[in-house]
Amino acid sequence: MKFQNLKRFEGSSDSNRLHRSILRHGRPNVIADDNSPSASSNLPYNDEIQREFEIFAASCLSEDTSIRSMALKEPRGSLSDTILKEQHILSSMLSERAEYQYNCLFVNRFLLKSKRVSAPHDAAKLRISRRTLERVFAILDIPSDFVYALSRYYLPCGRGYRSIFSKGDSVGSELWYILPLRMQVRCTASPRCQITSNSGSNQMDPFHHLHLPNQAVDIRGSLIALTFRYNKSCKSTSMLAVNFIDGRWPKTAQEPESRIKEVLGDAERFCLKSDPFFIQLIYLTSVTRLWTNALNSIHDQLIAYEIRLQNDEEVQPATSMPLQDTNRALHAIAAHLHRYASELKSLDDTMAAMIKYHQLVWDCGSNTPGEAFQRVENGLHHIVSQLKAIKDFELELEKKIQNSLALLFNRIQLSNDRVMLANGAAMQAIMEATQEETKVSRSLAVKAHKLSESMRKDSLSMRTIAVCTMFFLPGTSFAAVLSMPFFDNDWMKGPSRFWLWIVITIPSTVLAFAFYFYRQSRNNAKYKTGNAIEMVA
């Protein structure tokens, strides 16, 4: 596996070994479902591992190193609990690996233990640099598939197991796995921030947190990556834990470390130190407790939604904001529960592999199982039963959310039915008003028709009067003109000159009627042309 070239260790014979270890493309074994101790796993190519690790280092690793180391000598040795910086990581880990029975390394994000402490700009990243992490991988001889799974922590992954050989003999074994977890934390953001933030507005994606408004908590996802090596020849144990829990909740992030320190510091009281699997037991019990609390908060939130839906005295329309918010929240919870089911299934498979690996370590060694082995074995089986109860609880929540969604859809259907009834009543009122308006319009149309008939008759009468006037007006006019005094002479007198009035009157009357019909035809032509243009438009 290709990483950055490690600096040469001055005067150290381990440099070539470390470099070969970090470049080697090993093939760890994975615990199978049958009784065989191992089965080969198909690993990705080195180039792909290198590419994924570079992306992981750029996005998740900080520039500074501050990791916690716990080491214990035997017998009755003092417990060493120190914070390792980058300049001390090499010498400290090499000495502890050779001299200590227990060597535990804890990598966390920046732990905000006090509000007075200002967080660095990369507080969300793991407090270990890329260069230091590569050294840790080399010193602990971390398998390449664990590096690949850690680099793709946001995707589901399996577990890995391999035997360690020296000169053809098995001297130990190694197990790695990733524990997905969900934890409830107190929500400190305002409702507006929950809506506008990136994760708050994308709660349908289980990668983001789930906000429970009635409980005032957020369900946040995280994971803990563990690699565990036991050397039966020298009875030494080394462990690397990469904890992705947000540093804003330091007590939750450091709870397993505190419990491990308590056990290692008081071995006689706990009687577990002779079985190194107590470390796995501590992490698994912490994770199951977080899962139980998170699912219980979701259960309380679903009850709150059911009470709200059942106690609504006034059915709201389906487009109202409360029903829309409830619908969106229930579908977000359903999406998260589906992811939780797969994560719990992964935990269940990890527990099955853990029990097999625990028994395998003792069966292959010369150690005789004692009280510590039995206590750890009982603890592992207890976690199996606890996981079964958690999975059953998760299935119950899925059924409960189906009931809540059915109740919500019933409320939406009821509100839609009431809206349809209200719309029907409004439409009926509109139809009745339309009928009344139609009656009034019909009455107005009848009256308008009568008025038009009356106007037509008046028009006909006026036309008759106008025609009669036009017929008699020329003769009357010329008779009046000819009877004026300045036409009073001997030639104009006498009935023999009657023909003069006829000659003047008849052409004038004909000319008047011709002009009338000419104007009437022109007006009719203009009227027909205007109607044709309007019809085309």
Side-chain angles (χ1 to χ4, degrees):
M1 191 168 49
K2 298 179 181 179
F3 294 107
Q4 287 182 339
N5 292 330
L6 298 177
K7 287 188 175 181
R8 184 173 302 173
F9 308 147
E10 293 81 6
S12 174
S13 61
D14 293 324
S15 60
N16 293 332
R17 179 182 61 82
L18 292 176
H19 193 66
R20 288 195 305 269
S21 172
I22 207 165
L23 294 176
R24 188 177 65 245
H25 177 52
R27 288 187 174 272
N29 295 325
V30 179
I31 294 181
D33 292 333
D34 53 10
N35 296 326
S36 60
S38 62
S40 297
S41 63
N42 296 322
L43 299 181
Y45 293 105
N46 291 337
D47 293 340
E48 184 178 355
I49 299 176
Q50 171 71 15
R51 182 173 56 254
E52 294 294 339
F53 182 78
E54 288 178 354
I55 297 174
F56 171 75
S59 60
C60 297
L61 301 183
S62 64
E63 299 174 357
D64 301 326
T65 297
S66 179
I67 61 177
R68 187 176 185 180
S69 173
M70 288 187 193
L72 179 68
K73 290 183 179 180
E74 193 67 23
R76 297 186 179 275
S78 60
L79 178 63
S80 172
D81 185 5
T82 57
I83 301 298
L84 299 180
K85 301 297 182 179
E86 184 171 359
Q87 59 270 24
H88 303 134
I89 190 73
L90 179 63
S91 59
S92 177
M93 288 187 62
L94 287 176
S95 62
E96 289 178 359
R97 189 181 184 189
E99 300 176 4
Y100 287 82
Q101 181 182 5
Y102 284 93
N103 182 18
C104 303
L105 292 178
F106 305 95
V107 180
N108 297 299
R109 295 181 176 180
F110 181 81
L111 301 178
L112 193 62
K113 298 181 179 180
S114 175
K115 295 182 179 179
R116 300 177 181 177
V117 179
S118 59
H121 68 279
D122 57 352
K125 296 183 177 181
L126 297 171
R127 310 313 296 169
I128 187 170
S129 65
R130 171 176 178 171
R131 181 167 175 264
T132 305
L133 185 60
E134 289 174 349
R135 287 185 173 183
V136 172
F137 286 165
I139 295 172
L140 297 181
D141 194 16
I142 299 298
S144 58
D145 52 353
F146 174 77
V147 179
Y148 186 66
L150 181 65
S151 302
R152 294 158 53 91
Y153 64 94
Y154 48 86
L155 295 177
C157 65
R159 296 147 298 281
Y161 163 76
R162 68 175 179 178
S163 298
I164 302 173
F165 295 90
S166 177
K167 298 180 180 180
D169 297 328
S170 176
V171 297
S173 55
E174 184 172 10
L175 175 69
W176 68 264
Y177 53 91
I178 294 180
L179 299 177
L181 61 92
R182 300 282 168 165
M183 62 180 186
Q184 64 169 10
V185 296
R186 183 63 56 183
C187 177
T188 57
S190 62
R192 180 177 180 83
C193 292
Q194 285 288 345
I195 297 175
T196 57
S197 65
N198 180 45
S199 58
S201 59
N202 293 280
Q203 295 191 40
M204 287 298 294
D205 186 358
F207 184 78
H208 299 292
H209 75 270
L210 177 65
H211 179 62
L212 306 179
N214 292 83
Q215 309 305 313
V217 298
D218 293 336
I219 306 299
R220 295 185 175 268
S222 188
L223 57 92
I224 302 175
L226 291 167
T227 176
F228 175 82
R229 172 177 293 187
Y230 176 70
N231 192 324
K232 64 182 180 181
S233 61
C234 59
K235 297 182 180 180
S236 63
T237 302
S238 60
M239 186 269 295
L240 172 65
V242 183
N243 195 333
F244 286 84
I245 295 179
D246 197 317
R248 290 176 292 176
W249 298 280
K251 291 184 178 179
T252 303
Q254 286 191 309
E255 180 199 4
E257 303 173 21
S258 302
R259 294 172 60 191
I260 291 173
K261 181 179 179 180
E262 183 181 5
V263 174
L264 292 177
D266 194 353
E268 295 181 358
R269 174 186 172 190
F270 293 98
C271 300
L272 293 174
K273 196 170 57 174
S274 58
D275 190 339
F277 273 80
F278 77 89
I279 298 175
Q280 327 295 330
L281 193 61
I282 288 175
Y283 272 101
L284 291 168
T285 53
S286 297
V287 168
T288 53
R289 182 182 60 83
L290 294 175
W291 270 104
T292 303
N293 294 338
L295 293 180
N296 185 62
S297 296
I298 296 177
H299 175 263
D300 294 339
Q301 181 63 52
L302 290 179
I303 292 178
Y305 282 139
E306 288 181 349
I307 294 176
R308 178 192 301 178
L309 292 173
Q310 291 175 354
N311 293 343
D312 280 345
E313 297 180 358
E314 180 180 357
V315 178
Q316 302 170 352
T319 56
S320 64
M321 290 303 295
L323 284 182
Q324 286 184 354
D325 293 341
T326 304
N327 185 28
R328 189 182 301 109
L330 288 176
H331 279 86
I333 294 176
H336 279 255
L337 286 177
H338 290 315
R339 173 62 64 85
Y340 297 172
S342 62
E343 292 179 351
L344 289 172
K345 179 63 169 57
S346 175
L347 278 177
D348 196 16
D349 295 340
T350 299
M351 282 305 308
M354 184 75 63
I355 293 176
K356 288 184 178 181
Y357 178 59
H358 185 228
Q359 295 174 349
L360 183 64
V361 168
W362 286 96
D363 293 342
C364 296
S366 58
N367 299 333
T368 302
E371 180 182 358
F373 170 84
Q374 195 60 47
R375 292 186 63 177
V376 172
E377 188 75 7
N378 293 339
L380 293 176
H381 285 286
H382 173 71
I383 294 175
V384 170
S385 63
Q386 179 68 18
L387 272 177
K388 184 179 182 304
I390 294 175
K391 291 173 63 179
D392 293 340
F393 191 22
E394 190 273 336
L395 291 175
E396 177 187 343
L397 293 180
E398 289 189 7
K399 294 179 180 179
K400 179 179 284 294
I401 202 169
Q402 294 300 326
N403 293 335
S404 300
L405 287 172
L407 180 60
L408 175 64
F409 294 152
N410 185 23
R411 301 290 290 185
I412 293 175
Q413 184 65 37
L414 182 59
S415 64
N416 289 337
D417 292 343
R418 293 194 177 186
V419 170
M420 291 180 63
L421 288 176
N423 291 338
M427 289 297 296
Q428 184 177 1
I430 293 174
M431 292 297 295
E432 292 176 355
T434 304
Q435 291 177 357
E436 293 294 330
E437 184 180 0
T438 304
K439 291 179 180 179
V440 173
S441 300
R442 188 174 182 181
S443 176
L444 292 176
V446 171
K447 293 180 179 180
H449 179 69
K450 292 181 179 179
L451 180 61
S452 64
E453 286 290 330
S454 177
M455 292 177 65
R456 189 181 65 82
K457 293 178 180 179
D458 292 342
S459 175
L460 183 61
S461 300
M462 292 298 294
R463 180 178 294 182
T464 302
I465 294 173
V467 170
C468 293
T469 301
M470 188 170 54
F471 179 79
F472 290 103
L473 183 61
T476 305
S477 299
F478 285 117
V481 170
L482 292 176
S483 64
M484 290 183 178
F486 51 82
F487 288 109
D488 189 9
N489 51 47
D490 295 336
W491 188 82
M492 292 292 294
K493 293 181 180 180
S496 60
R497 300 289 186 262
F498 181 72
W499 61 267
L500 182 62
W501 178 83
I502 295 174
V503 170
I504 297 173
T505 301
I506 292 176
S508 299
T509 303
V510 171
L511 183 63
F513 273 96
F515 179 76
Y516 169 77
F517 285 114
Y518 171 73
R519 294 292 300 178
Q520 189 72 20
S521 62
R522 287 197 62 181
N523 291 336
N524 291 337
K526 289 182 179 180
Y527 178 76
K528 291 180 179 179
T529 304
N531 287 341
I533 293 174
E534 288 181 359
M535 292 180 65
V536 170

